[in-house]
């Protein structure tokens, strides 16, 4: 059995980052997390850092804006997974420079974990957010860095918990709004499963220089199908209001930040169907549930059961 790659997670205290760190440890990889000095004293993130330490994660102090600290951290590992948030996406160029200088990285996963940014047709301001991720991809490729891009589609914790309804914390039981005609299909994955699939791909030659799509058939639903499933689970028919595309586009233009980004992403996913309106070709991508049939992922139906 080949030795498992050493993994460095950059942005490990972020939303998806913490799941990636835990999955890496669970899969038996020597796991490292890059943490800023001030993160340790942050009440919420400091607690996470303590949890990481208890899991056996090696904490490395560093910062995207401190080149030496990055090179030093990267030289200790084989694989770098970035899970930095939206505001830091462009700063990943600094990570690319450090990876290039360190010269030892077998695989780099830039911060993606959403739509495939080379195959979206989004309106502003989501368009700009996606294009930053695409620019990072081009920079990785230009430097010849071995990579995998993870298109994990919708986080269940964001989208299924609310059935995409603004201002609620559980799926509604009386009425809800459906964007567009409700027929475009989207994909909903539990965060722990996204992390498990990502870590599986780390040492897999089949995912090298490819997009890893997490698109299990059992988690692919149109908005109409999702609502019908929820109605079946609770044994009740909801009042459904269809929100036309032109009205949504108008709202996107008028809404303040960051609401306009959220609305524009919803338009891309639920009106355009940008997560599913193309076939995954072997030339550029692979599908996670096909590659790793041993992973018992949580289905949309199982996920919704907890709210019944």
């Amino acid at each position: 059995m080949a030795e498992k790659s050493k993994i460095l997670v950059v942005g490990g205290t972020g939303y998806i980052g913490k799941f990636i760190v835990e999955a890496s440890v669970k899969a038996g990889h020597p796991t490292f997390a890059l943490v800023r000095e001030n993160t340790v004293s942050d009440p919420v993130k400091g607690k996470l850092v303590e949890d990481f330490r208890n899991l056996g994660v090696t904490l490395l102090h560093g910062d995207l804006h401190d080149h030496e600290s990055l090179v030093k951290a990267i030289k200790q590992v084989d694989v770098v997974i970035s899970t930095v948030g939206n505001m830091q996406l462009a700063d990943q160029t600094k990570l690319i420079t450090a990876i290039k200088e360190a010269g030892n990285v077998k695989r780099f996963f830039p911060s993606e974990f959403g739509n495939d940014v080379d195959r979206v047709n989004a309106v502003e301001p989501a368009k700009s957010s996606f294009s930053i991720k695409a620019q990072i991809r081009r920079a990785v490729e230009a430097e010849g860095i071995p990579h995998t891009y993870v298109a994990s589609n919708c986080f269940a914790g964001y989208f299924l918990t609310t059935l995409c309804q603004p201002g609620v914390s559980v799926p509604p039981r009386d009425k809800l709004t459906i964007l567009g005609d409700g027929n475009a299909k989207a994909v909903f994955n539990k965060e722990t499963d996204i992390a498990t699939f990502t870590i599986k791909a780390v040492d897999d030659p089949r995912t090298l220089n490819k997009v890893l799509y997490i698109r299990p058939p059992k988690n692919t639903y149109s908005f109409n199908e999702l609502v019908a499933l929820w109605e079946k689970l609770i044994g009740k028919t909801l009042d459904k209001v269809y929100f036309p595309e032109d009205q949504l586009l108008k709202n996107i233009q008028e809404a303040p930040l960051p609401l306009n980004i959220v609305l524009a992403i919803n338009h891309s996913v639920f009106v355009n169907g940008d997560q599913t309106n193309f076939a995954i070709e072997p030339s550029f991508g692979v599908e996670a549930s096909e590659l790793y049939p041993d992973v018992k992922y949580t289905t949309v139906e199982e996920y919704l059961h907890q709210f019944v």
Side-chain angles (χ1 to χ4, degrees):
M1 176 74 188
E3 227 175 279
K4 295 207 171 189
S5 287
K6 299 186 188 76
I7 297 176
L8 171 67
V9 183
V10 180
T13 58
Y15 181 76
I16 195 69
K18 57 185 177 291
F19 296 105
I20 302 274
V21 171
E22 285 167 14
S24 175
V25 173
K26 199 171 164 190
H29 290 272
T31 306
F32 298 74
L34 189 77
V35 290
R36 290 192 294 248
E37 296 284 354
N38 60 354
T39 302
V40 184
S41 51
D42 180 289
V44 178
K45 296 195 166 177
K47 166 82 175 72
L48 261 178
V49 170
E50 198 46 49
D51 291 346
F52 291 168
R53 197 179 272 125
N54 293 337
L55 283 171
V57 175
T58 304
L59 303 174
L60 302 174
H61 288 285
D63 192 301
L64 282 179
H65 299 283
D66 177 352
H67 178 70
E68 291 311 312
S69 73
L70 286 182
V71 174
K72 191 178 162 195
I74 291 165
K75 280 188 167 168
Q76 299 178 56
V77 300
D78 307 302
V79 172
V80 178
I81 301 178
S82 172
T83 56
V84 298
N86 222 22
M87 304 311 288
Q88 286 184 295
L89 290 173
D91 290 335
Q92 291 179 107
T93 52
K94 297 176 167 62
L95 204 46
I96 293 167
T97 304
I99 287 170
K100 192 71 182 163
E101 185 177 316
N104 60 300
V105 170
K106 295 196 306 197
R107 195 84 65 98
F108 175 45
F109 291 66
S111 188
E112 292 258 348
F113 305 103
N115 290 12
D116 176 1
V117 293
D118 285 332
R119 292 171 183 82
V120 286
N121 186 25
V123 297
E124 292 292 5
K127 185 179 178 179
S128 291
S129 179
F130 289 147
S131 79
I132 294 169
K133 289 184 176 180
Q135 285 159 21
I136 292 297
R137 287 186 178 193
R138 303 295 82 85
V140 169
E141 292 153 12
E143 291 294 356
I145 295 168
H147 56 271
T148 300
Y149 308 134
V150 180
S152 60
N153 300 307
C154 294
F155 292 146
Y158 274 15
F159 290 91
L160 291 184
T161 303
T162 62
L163 285 190
C164 318
Q165 304 302 300
V168 301
S169 55
V170 291
R173 287 173 174 264
D174 42 12
K175 67 173 201 278
L176 50 68
T177 302
I178 295 173
L179 302 177
D181 63 10
N183 292 327
K185 288 190 189 277
V187 190
F188 306 88
N189 293 307
K190 191 176 178 180
E191 290 79 350
T192 46
D193 295 332
I194 291 170
T196 300
F197 282 126
T198 300
I199 298 301
K200 280 260 188 197
V202 161
D203 288 326
D204 189 343
R206 298 173 298 175
T207 59
L208 179 62
N209 300 337
K210 293 275 200 290
V211 183
L212 176 71
Y213 294 93
I214 307 180
R215 203 201 271 187
K218 286 182 178 165
N219 288 3
T220 305
Y221 281 79
S222 71
F223 216 129
N224 288 328
E225 290 166 345
L226 193 60
V227 173
L229 171 63
W230 178 239
E231 289 177 329
K232 186 186 90 176
L233 290 174
I234 62 172
K236 186 181 174 196
T237 304
L238 305 182
D239 288 335
K240 293 174 274 292
V241 178
Y242 284 85
F243 200 80
E245 180 179 13
D246 54 358
Q247 186 58 50
L248 177 58
L249 290 170
K250 189 166 177 283
N251 283 16
I252 291 167
Q253 286 177 335
E254 292 168 359
L257 267 166
L259 178 61
N260 55 357
I261 296 185
V262 173
L263 294 175
I265 290 172
N266 286 349
H267 176 266
S268 161
V269 174
F270 300 113
V271 179
N272 291 347
D274 280 344
Q275 294 182 344
T276 58
N277 60 12
F278 60 92
I280 299 168
E281 302 288 349
S283 58
F284 61 78
V286 286
E287 199 283 311
S289 66
E290 283 178 20
L291 282 193
Y292 313 114
D294 56 312
V295 174
K296 296 278 174 277
Y297 66 87
T298 302
T299 66
V300 166
E301 184 162 356
E302 288 163 350
Y303 192 90
L304 286 175
H305 256 293
Q306 66 185 306
F307 303 108
V308 172

